[in-house]
Amino acid sequence: MSSYLEADQELSRLARRAAGMRGGPRALILPGIMASTLGRPRKGLPDDVKWFDPAEIALGGMTRLALPRGRRYGPLGVLRFAYERLRLALRIAGFDAVFHPYDWRLDLAANGRALAERLVTERRQDVVLIGHSMGGLVARAALAHKGAARIARVVQLGTPNRGAFVAIQALRGTYPLIRRLAMLDLLHDADEIANRVLTTFPGLCELLPPASACKNFDPFDAAHWPKGPSPAAGLLANARRAIESLPPPDERFRLIAGFGQDTVLGLKRRNQRLEFGRGPAGDGTVPLALAHWPGMPTWYVEESHGALPGNAEVGRAVIDLARGDTTAALPHVLPRRRGVPTLWEVDTRAATPAKIAWSDLSERQQREFLHEFVAVADPSVSATPVVRSSAQARPVELAFVEGSVTQSDASALVLGAFANVEPAGAALAVDTMLHGAISDLSRRRAIGAAAGEVFVLPVGRRGLAARLVVLAGLGDFGRYGPDVQRLAAANVTRTLALAGVGDFAMVLWGTASGADPADAARAQLEGVLTALSDLSPELRLRRITILSRSARRLSTARQVAEDLLRMHPAAPLLRLQPARKAGRKPGRIVKPTATPLAWLFVQESAGQMHAALLGTAPKATALTATRRLDLRALEREHARLAPGMPVAELENFGERLAELLLPKEIVAALPSVRAAPLVVVHDSTSAHWPWEALSIKGWAPAAESGLSRRYAAEGMSVAKWREQRRRERGLNVLLVINPTGDLPGAVVEGERVAQMLARLDGTGITAIRGGEATRARLLAEFRSGDYDAIHFAGHAYFDAAAPGSSGILCAGGRVLSGADLAAMDSVPALVFFNACESGRLRSAVKPLRQLDRSVGFAEAFLRGGVANFIGTWWPVSDAGATAFATLLYRELAKGTSIGAALNAARTAVRELPSADWANYLHYGSFDFALKAGR
């Protein structure tokens, strides 16, 4: 968290201004619930922090906070990233502002007593209290004690004076923040955290709303709670009595309340289910109706609950109210808004989110996680969009059109793009109209598609009315959700508006991949409204169109828009148009040539495998699941692997591999995509598993329809083959044989491939043997542009710490690395690296170690700009190597795609029979052909 504070330039500027401030009236800042750190101080050592420590949470440390056993831990400090701006602003204004952490798990009476005891010890008689959320209730609790006489003023920020409905969701484990927290805990899910920990906290129970605010439900009666986590009856009874005895605010209290955020406003019980009503009359956590107190002066700000302390306008108002009775920084009267009906939804348990290992997140990702955990406002502006009056600019038209994306008459077409996934669905339809331009860029790795990334492609061909095709990055499929959709929609809207594009059309992203149309529409429109709120009126667009060929999906999306525009604070910026059908005739239909693919995304982290399966459109299988890995069992199983093992034994190994590596839901669903080639998209940790050997009830994906790999890593170079080379007749192969002169097996392999290639019609060979293969010579040949493929039989150098430095060993022992290739403007489209050892050494090779090396070499070449890499993960038998290379190069010379050629070659080896068919791995595009148009 210290790095978070250091990274905030505005915070650093405020800290420099406050550094010289001394003395002044005392001000105590009381944080909200869960915003005080908890643990035990250690003499001469760093504090033993239990909350908030991501490492402790990951190990299941939340359970140690459960009461009563967790009483040995107490307050240590506050989550400064949420409150430091407010403290510094008060210091600059002349106040001696410090934090007052408290144990938010305990009842309000205990925390109020502790606060009063501190007030008694304060040197100054008049102390100002600023209480955020639960902190404002602690200030009320202090009124019952002697120290209350020293309180000069109390400023409450978003305090739930009469409770909050989200406290019920938190205790049931359905509150989004608790489910987010459960992603960090590798041992417990949200229900377990709620049941074992949260339901033991009196402080949380004392935030429950009164029965009078609910319908057919009394939060303090244990019999009223539906099945699932709930507090004990005694705890609820004590909470009712505590709230009834809590002192009311007196004339010293002032309230700043947030509004205009999507907030839980009501609760009713129906047939043993809870339903929550939502609307904008609150700060996203506390409804205005439950924050207000009769007679207490109140000021209003259009801001979210967690961001109130960091809001600049709120900070100015707090300073004014700490000095006197009023402020002009915020309105004293709630701004008039049109009536908004409450939208009701059942309190359901969403699918368990994937676990996250904190140490695996980059510093940027950690900061993003903390932003979501406790919202942090920009110091200079309100975090909530300020909607300008409609007199300043006409609202943007929001149209819903039934038809194909290729029929749109919009100036720009916006399509969703997942990272490492080639075009499908609407993107494929547009791609065919552009003669494969999107596919070409995707295979060249020129479209990153990171979450929120915007890629703009100009259109100059007939058939599409649009002048631009825009790809909105949706990130990794396994991490896809509403947050990503909102980000992508906001970035696209902002980018096109700033570029002067008057209108654009977009489809509902991800719906062909299993996303719910209503969820997609809501997230995309929320992102659009966020961007429109940021833009000055003269920069806003004229029209935004949502397209779908499905009338049902379009109707669902329009209903979502109607509901959203009844409650969203930025609703005046959009004006709904009547639904219609596309009037423009579709362009000339070009039959797609892309092979429908299935995608398996795998990410290994903290001993868990997170997997996501995406089937072929239009009725795609879409599924995500996580399982804990038994690494010892996997190690025992892999000890069975050995070169030359029987085919039947390999198949048995593949079955066990599926059982041990993949979640059972993924194993059950994989056969549904068996008709399509499977692409395994893996991270660096899961790269070393032999996915090619995978087998499920006798079905081996690599042996049937084919299996290729994609490497999900940052910093991959754009692939840079020469298209002219693909269009020239004849397959030219550069054959490099045993540069170091110490591998007899490489000589045998290389000469065998040379003889085989010589027999293929239209194939040219350049063979460089032994000492001729110097680094300078190979660099010259690589950059010449004369070759379609390089077949290397020799030693390689592997640097696990710096994969980009790995590469092939040239004559004299010098390394030609992936980094060397990255500096070239073009390289051959395929590198075939064969693991060459002498026959007597083959049985001594450890397959998993060799697989790690092959994956490392693949990464080095991919980072160097090679489009496709084929390698082996143990030395292949002579018969297997001959059969594979013969079929592979014969098919490639015909113009067959690499994926199909690889599949034919694997089949030939399998029919020998030989288990070496599963030994070949391929990184790149399944549909890539070395020779185009043949």
Side-chain angles (χ1 to χ4, degrees), residues 480 485 508-524 552-553 556 560:
Y480 181 60
Q485 283 177 296
L508 296 173
W509 305 328
T511 52
S513 306
D516 182 75
D519 291 342
R522 182 178 298 106
Q524 287 175 234
R552 180 180 57 82
R553 284 182 182 172
T556 298
V560 166

Side-chain angles (χ1 to χ4, degrees), residues 340-670:
V340 178
T342 301
L343 303 179
W344 292 87
E345 59 187 17
V346 177
D347 185 37
T348 57
R349 281 171 164 72
T352 302
K355 298 294 184 181
I356 292 176
W358 185 259
S359 58
D360 287 350
L361 300 180
S362 66
E363 184 176 323
R364 175 184 59 81
Q365 291 171 321
Q366 290 177 356
R367 289 202 299 270
E368 288 175 355
F369 189 95
L370 294 177
H371 264 279
E372 295 179 27
F373 187 76
V374 176
V376 182
D378 187 300
S380 59
V381 297
S382 170
T384 302
V386 177
V387 182
R388 297 169 175 86
S389 68
S390 57
Q392 292 177 283
R394 292 186 308 174
V396 178
E397 296 177 3
L398 178 62
F400 291 82
V401 175
E402 181 184 345
S404 168
V405 67
T406 60
Q407 295 177 267
S408 172
D409 56 3
S411 301
L413 300 179
V414 181
L415 312 167
F418 289 114
N420 294 298
V421 176
E422 293 181 13
L428 183 59
V430 173
D431 187 47
T432 58
M433 301 289 290
L434 299 180
H435 292 250
I438 300 175
S439 295
D440 183 75
L441 289 166
S442 176
R443 291 167 189 165
R444 291 183 183 273
R445 301 191 291 271
I447 302 174
E453 188 172 273
V454 179
F455 185 94
V456 180
L457 180 66
V459 176
R461 291 186 177 275
R462 295 179 180 178
L464 289 177
R467 294 181 289 111
L468 301 171
V469 170
V470 180
L471 298 177
L474 304 180
D476 298 328
F477 176 73
R479 301 289 184 194
Y480 181 60
D483 289 344
V484 173
Q485 283 177 296
R486 280 189 285 270
L487 174 65
N491 286 356
V492 163
T493 304
R494 191 179 298 108
T495 299
L496 292 178
L498 292 174
V501 178
D503 66 305
F504 69 83
M506 61 180 173
V507 296
L508 296 173
W509 305 328
T511 52
S513 306
D516 182 75
D519 291 342
R522 182 178 298 106
Q524 287 175 234
L525 289 174
E526 286 174 346
V528 166
L529 287 167
T530 297
L532 293 178
S533 301
D534 291 342
L535 296 165
S536 57
E538 66 274 10
L539 292 176
R540 292 187 192 138
L541 301 103
R542 185 179 70 259
R543 181 175 62 250
I544 297 173
T545 302
I546 292 180
L547 277 160
S548 178
R549 298 200 312 183
S550 167
R552 180 180 57 82
R553 284 182 182 172
L554 202 66
S555 175
T556 298
R558 199 176 194 285
Q559 183 61 54
V560 166
E562 291 174 357
D563 292 342
L564 185 65
L565 296 184
R566 283 199 296 266
M567 62 180 290
H568 198 283
L573 299 180
L574 284 177
R575 183 175 62 202
L576 276 174
Q577 301 296 300
R580 61 182 176 86
K581 292 191 176 183
R584 186 174 180 275
K585 293 183 179 180
R588 182 175 62 90
I589 302 299
V590 181
K591 185 178 180 180
T593 57
T595 303
L597 302 172
W599 304 81
L600 176 62
F601 305 85
V602 288
Q603 184 178 38
E604 185 179 344
S605 176
Q608 295 203 338
M609 184 67 75
H610 176 64
L613 179 64
L614 176 60
T616 57
K619 294 184 178 180
T621 301
L623 179 68
T624 61
T626 302
R627 67 159 298 158
R628 183 171 297 281
L629 297 178
D630 186 340
L631 295 176
R632 290 186 177 180
L634 279 165
E635 289 174 4
R636 287 195 302 269
E637 195 64 31
H638 280 84
R640 297 170 45 202
L641 273 180
M645 67 189 304
V647 172
E649 190 173 341
L650 178 70
E651 291 176 354
N652 179 262
F653 167 79
E655 299 282 343
R656 286 287 292 153
L657 186 71
E659 294 172 10
L660 292 171
L661 271 185
L662 294 174
K664 60 182 180 181
E665 300 93 333
I666 300 293
V667 173
L670 266 172

Side-chain angles (χ1 to χ4, degrees), residues 179-199:
R179 301 191 70 78
R180 183 78 171 158
L181 182 65
M183 295 173 67
L184 282 182
D185 191 329
L186 302 179
L187 303 181
H188 308 101
D189 60 22
D191 284 4
E192 290 172 319
I193 291 174
N195 197 43
R196 297 177 58 179
V197 183
L198 301 180
T199 54

Side-chain angles (χ1 to χ4, degrees), residues 193-216:
I193 291 174
N195 197 43
R196 297 177 58 179
V197 183
L198 301 180
T199 54
T200 71
F201 296 167
L204 181 55
C205 292
E206 291 174 13
L207 297 182
L208 292 170
S212 60
C214 308
K215 184 177 182 179
N216 301 325

